[in-house]
Amino acid sequence: ENKPWAIEKIKEINPKTVLDCGAGAGTYLDLIKSNIGNSVIVLGVEAWYPSIIKYSLEERYDFIYPVDVRTITDFKFDLVILGDILEHMSIEDATTLWSKIAKDATYALISIPIIHYPQGAVDDNPYEVHVEEDWTTEKVLQNFSNIVEYKEFPQTGVFIAKFREEDNA
């Protein structure tokens, strides 16, 4: 429901480098490549290795990290996408991750359910369990800094954060 708005915001940012956290089936990769073009370098992070195989992520992304995003320390990208992953971790883990991203990234995009949304493992994937089932727009704004724009949809919200000016060098 939120992808058209999200891709318009990504087009406005016009990133040269993107880190897609929680790559899943590669939805954001496909949106970026079809709307911005193949010149964008898109790296993915996917903790569930069977998804990497199922969706051929190694062949589609410029590079795929087969790890839990919480283990990454370098977020020096024009845009970091957190597409429906923050609900899969505790608020403490999510805000710690956000702090690391805020130190390095220029922009970040959060897509997250903003309704009560319980979910267990999907296809035996333990990373699909919703640890935090009750995100709201207010809770996102309280826990994540530098949000400059957002839009609510019936089930999800998309939030854009800007941490620094773009490097035009």
Side-chain angles (χ1 to χ4, degrees), residues 47 102 134 140 165:
D134 292 302
V140 171
E165 294 303 315

Side-chain angles (χ1 to χ4, degrees), residues 81-93:
I81 298 174
L82 301 163
D84 301 303
I85 69 162
L86 295 177
E87 66 274 20
H88 301 282
M89 57 186 79
S90 68
I91 291 177
E92 294 76 20
D93 282 355

Side-chain angles (χ1 to χ4, degrees), residues 23-26 44-61 63-67 125:
V45 179
E46 179 53 56
W48 187 241
Y49 196 73
S51 288
I52 294 173
I53 301 302
K54 179 178 181 179
Y55 299 110
S56 304
L57 300 182
E58 289 175 313
E59 291 81 35
R60 295 172 54 212
Y61 281 86
F63 186 81
I64 190 86
Y65 295 96
V67 298
N125 180 350

Side-chain angles (χ1 to χ4, degrees), residues 67-141:
V67 298
D68 185 317
V69 68
R70 292 170 282 197
T71 66
I72 293 180
T73 57
D74 180 3
F75 291 94
K76 290 181 179 80
F77 293 86
D78 296 332
L79 174 63
V80 174
I81 298 174
L82 301 163
D84 301 303
I85 69 162
L86 295 177
E87 66 274 20
H88 301 282
M89 57 186 79
S90 68
I91 291 177
E92 294 76 20
D93 282 355
T95 55
T96 298
L97 174 62
W98 190 254
S99 295
K100 293 192 290 185
I101 293 167
K103 286 191 307 190
D104 289 341
T106 304
Y107 289 92
L109 180 149
I110 296 171
S111 172
I112 193 166
I114 55 170
I115 59 170
H116 178 69
Y117 200 99
Q119 177 176 293
V122 177
D123 295 330
D124 296 323
N125 180 350
Y127 293 100
E128 286 290 338
V129 173
H130 285 187
V131 175
E132 180 57 43
E133 300 175 344
D134 292 302
W135 282 102
T136 62
T137 297
E138 294 74 24
K139 193 185 279 189
V140 171
L141 295 173

